[in-house]
Amino acid sequence: MNRHFNGLTLTALVVAGLNMRPLLTSLSPLLGQLRQTMGLSSLAASLLPAVPMVMMGAVALLSASLMQRLPLQRLLLAGLMLLLLALAARGVIHDGSWLVVSALFGGLGVGVVQMAMPGLIRQRFAQRSAPVTGLWAGALMGGGGLGAALSPWLSDHLGEPLALSGWALPVLLAIGLWLYVRVPTAASTEKVALPSLWRTPRAWTLAISFGLVNGGYATCVAWLPDAYHHLGWSAQAGGSLLGAMILCQVAGALLMPLLARKADRRPQLIISLVCQLIGMSGFLFAPLFAPWLWAAIAGFGLGAAFPLAMVLALDHLPHPQAGARLVAFMQGAGFIIAGCMPFIAGQLQALTHSFSSVWLMQAAVTVGLILLNLRFHPRSYNRAFGRTAA
């Protein structure tokens, strides 16, 4: 019986993960159409990917208080309901500013689910938390790929309103599964003394690294299809390119953590960042030479870096409760940083009338990330949080 419910929980977890990113990726291939049908301004187009990411970060920063007051399953269902309403509302929206409002509430819902899921994974799959976290990350990215690849097709065959609001249907399936899943109440855990993360330089360093990596993802999700639309590609082709990039992200998220068996995570992190740099440089210097190759390499690097960043944070504070607090802080501040990146990229493009400035910015950020991640030697973990080595 326990195996049955674990299997059901895994299924519900994957379905929920698949619903976390179409809110973002279903819009980007259709930006050209939305500019015409909704009068979407450059500012609104820049806010569409930025607002959800900022909301995810804000929710993560409030996670400790929320998770003490409400059961995990109730939080998950509340987040999914918010996401459902935001996506369904897109079917009747005819103005770009209201599309941004739907992104705000949808991002809030996604943030609540992302906040609750790691705790549920630790609670239900304590002995298999690493592979299950990888599965969650893979589902999250895979859903983003589906949103990018299918939305142009849905728009061509069913119309723009259904292409945007139709993503509410799989959210309904996720809600149905989580209503059936049984999540036991977690046993109380002892309080762990931990310095204020707001005043800990290493906590901020981890958050900046996490935020800039996810900012690269958000920038590609927001602007890659539009960049190739400006080069003459169709909406379907641009969405397929983003879908291929995200498919390679899934591969990176699942494969690279399996190679990170040693205490030092830097080799795998540097490899993932070098892949990102190669991809962004390809978009910058030779966008039409091998676009699918650049997308694949950048996608693999972006996907690999996400779970590695989570594992790196947990390595710093091995106690589960302390590690959870650090991850929540890292995601909170990090997603707010990530939300700023596509907004800045959109404003750069509007100012220069070229996407070259966007890819140049991303390449420069990635070089900075490589230098930053070289600092994360395992010997620095204890010292960073004022602990003595064991």
Side-chain angles (χ1 to χ4, degrees), residues 21-372:
R21 291 296 179 265
L23 174 79
L24 294 167
T25 61
S26 61
L27 288 170
S28 52
L30 305 177
L31 281 180
Q33 298 171 219
L34 294 172
R35 287 190 179 99
Q36 296 177 352
T37 59
M38 292 191 183
L40 191 70
S41 67
S42 296
L43 177 61
S46 299
L47 287 172
L48 282 173
V51 166
M53 299 288 271
V54 171
M55 294 307 298
M56 293 176 206
V59 171
L61 289 176
L62 296 172
S63 62
S65 175
L66 286 171
M67 292 177 73
Q68 285 173 4
R69 289 176 169 82
L70 294 169
L72 290 176
Q73 189 168 16
R74 191 176 298 176
L75 282 171
L76 281 168
L77 288 168
L80 289 169
M81 284 298 300
L82 272 173
L83 179 60
L84 174 70
L85 293 173
L87 288 170
R90 289 182 170 179
V92 295
I93 287 174
H94 302 289
D95 181 80
S97 58
W98 284 105
L99 204 58
V100 175
V101 173
S102 75
L104 187 152
F105 284 99
L108 180 61
V110 170
V112 171
V113 176
Q114 289 184 167
M115 170 193 68
M117 193 61 76
L120 186 138
I121 290 172
R122 285 193 300 272
Q123 189 174 322
R124 288 299 297 266
F125 303 98
Q127 303 303 316
R128 293 180 292 155
S129 60
V132 175
T133 299
L135 182 65
W136 162 250
L140 195 133
M141 296 171 187
L146 290 174
L150 295 181
S151 290
W153 184 90
L154 291 171
S155 181
D156 289 342
H157 291 82
L158 301 176
E160 202 174 89
L162 280 175
L164 296 178
S165 63
W167 295 102
L169 292 176
V171 182
L172 269 178
L173 175 60
I175 291 171
L177 286 170
W178 281 106
L179 284 170
Y180 189 65
V181 168
R182 293 191 305 192
V183 180
T185 303
S188 60
T189 57
E190 60 174 324
K191 297 290 182 182
V192 179
L194 190 64
S196 171
L197 296 176
W198 292 93
R199 297 195 298 268
T200 304
R202 178 53 62 91
W204 280 105
T205 307
L206 291 167
I208 290 168
S209 179
F210 181 83
L212 292 177
V213 166
N214 280 275
Y217 166 81
T219 298
C220 288
V221 164
W223 299 115
L224 184 63
D226 203 39
Y228 277 87
H229 179 70
H230 278 69
L231 293 173
W233 288 34
S234 67
Q236 181 65 67
S240 297
L241 182 66
L242 179 58
M245 189 196 84
I246 296 176
L247 182 64
C248 293
Q249 280 186 306
V250 176
L254 294 175
L255 294 177
M256 191 61 84
L258 297 178
L259 302 176
R261 294 172 182 259
K262 296 183 179 179
D264 192 350
R265 313 293 182 180
R266 292 178 301 168
Q268 289 75 31
L269 280 165
I270 300 305
I271 289 170
S272 72
L273 290 167
V274 168
C275 286
Q276 292 174 44
L277 181 60
I278 292 170
M280 300 303 173
S281 299
F283 293 145
L284 173 61
F285 294 112
L288 294 176
F289 173 67
W292 299 92
L293 178 63
W294 308 140
I297 295 173
F300 184 88
L302 287 165
F306 181 84
L308 286 172
M310 305 281 281
V311 172
L312 177 68
L314 291 171
D315 286 345
H316 276 75
L317 295 169
H319 190 285
Q321 187 180 345
R325 284 180 57 192
L326 178 58
V327 168
F329 178 86
M330 180 185 75
Q331 290 193 21
F335 276 127
I336 292 173
I337 294 168
C340 296
M341 295 294 289
F343 179 80
I344 294 170
Q347 297 309 297
L348 267 178
Q349 193 278 331
L351 182 66
T352 62
H353 304 287
S354 170
F355 279 97
S356 294
S357 58
V358 174
W359 308 128
L360 179 61
M361 177 189 76
Q362 280 304 131
V365 166
T366 307
V367 171
L369 279 169
I370 291 172
L371 297 175
L372 181 63

